[in-house]
Amino acid sequence: PLKSNADRMIGEVALVTKEIDPDLGGLVQYEGELWQAKAKETIATQEKVRILTLSGTHVTVERLQN
């Protein structure tokens, strides 16, 4: 089965372009596009994150483990 664009994003890596605050959110860049992002912890600008879920124009992410 073919995956939709949204399904293809799940598990992919994005770059934080505006610090993600657990309460306020932030921004990540994925394939040249900016997305509103949420996370359970503060994640600094320029850190890489993994996309966990997608809802509309918002993604939920987690810090990429080294």
Side-chain angles (χ1 to χ4, degrees), residues 2-34:
L2 291 176
K3 289 186 173 183
S4 70
N5 286 340
D7 290 337
R8 249 182 269 138
M9 287 178 66
I10 306 303
E12 292 297 312
V13 175
L15 181 68
V16 177
T17 59
K18 179 181 177 191
E19 180 177 272
I20 301 171
D21 178 278
D23 296 320
L24 304 175
L27 290 173
V28 298
Q29 184 173 10
Y30 173 73
E31 292 190 348
E33 295 183 357
L34 292 178

Side-chain angles (χ1 to χ4, degrees), residues 45-56:
T45 302
Q46 297 302 309
E47 284 202 55
K48 291 184 178 177
V49 293
R50 182 168 316 283
I51 298 170
L52 301 175
T53 65
L54 170 68
S55 177

Side-chain angles (χ1 to χ4, degrees), residues 34-49:
L34 292 178
W35 293 81
Q36 296 287 328
K38 298 178 185 176
K40 292 182 180 177
E41 62 181 328
T42 300
I43 304 176
T45 302
Q46 297 302 309
E47 284 202 55
K48 291 184 178 177
V49 293

